[in-house]
Amino acid sequence: MTVDEGARTVTPGRAAQELELRREEFRLAVQLGLVRTVPTGEGGGPRRIERCELDRLRAAPDFPTGLRERVRAVGTAEAAALLEITPDRFTRLARTGHVSPVRFCLNRYRAVVWTYLAEEVADFGLACPALLTGRMPLDLRERLAAHEDLRPRNWRARRLAVLLRTAGDPWVRAAAVASQLDPVQVAEVVDDPYERAHLDRLRPPPPPGMPGATAAREIAERLTRADDPDEILWQRLSLAMALDEARAERPAPYPGDAGAAVPGVAAGAWPRGRVPVSSPRVPAGAPESIPSSQTPVVPVPVGDAAPPVRVRAGRAAPQVPAQVSAPAQVPVPVPAPGPGPVQAGPPTPGASAPHVAVTDRPPARSARTRLLDRFRRRRPDTGRPRGRRRPVSWP
């Protein structure tokens, strides 16, 4: 921040004192756009308020009462008293989306307490007087019976509108939309990990009043993310369009770009979009890789009358039962994946020879063959009473 900016702007605390507002009321005034703020510095520092903006607000004929009434927030009981209805009826109207909350907090019982603008509550009473008395319409009763609650969604929509209005950079706007989605949803939309890291750095701060306890904070964080399927789809589409706009403006910083630092890697160490990949470590004493011209040979012990062994490309050598009177070994090459079967041939000198495990029992059959054998062993039904069955052992 330069000296000129410090002279023509003031801090939020100083602006709240001059506007005769409490700190929560001033935050709400900024959130609603009643008080315009400007960024300071080139790096997007804390926002400040210009002197001309304070002069404009103080020059209003109803200052400070009018400004204080526009930022007056009430709870459920006060809002119901303004409309002269019961708190239960007002809660049902808020759940169906007729009144949108402006902020929320958690009480000591970890219950969500919603707050509404008194001005919006009064405007709703004047616009829809039929909903304040008598029985509610059938569609509203059906939505309430289905446990519909639009208060979190309406609050998220209001917060996102404020974030988009104050964001001047396309990547900041994309980060504001991404903050409404679960990280898994963001990863499905944003494939590039560097773009996701850039969006995470630009993520907006949490709303004021977030609890510090772990359990309460988890409840509050669930309220800040989209949960309805249609809302998730809408935010995913909005994020995709915001990313297209941001990419058209400029790409996300990659390792090696100016101003992009990666721990343990010097700037400019690799070109943008490419990360150096280290070669796999080979343990000491391990044989070197076999060239494609050489073929590993697998010695398989077979009998005199054993049929020739054929090994298809890309498959391991089959297990052949050991024969007592077969001391000879036939080398069977295991080639690299390629078309067609490969016949047994002479061993290639210099190639490593992995041996096939030899067992004393015949190779096991597939589960499907064993099941068919069990059905075949059943005797036909002749109508006579069956005697004691012989035990059937699995092969």
Side-chain angles (χ1 to χ4, degrees), residues 265-309:
V265 179
W270 60 80
R272 188 183 70 182
R274 295 186 179 182
V275 181
V277 180
S278 59
S279 58
R281 296 181 178 179
V282 180
E288 298 181 356
S289 59
I290 302 174
S292 58
S293 60
Q294 301 180 3
T295 304
V297 179
V298 182
V300 180
V302 296
D304 296 335
V309 181

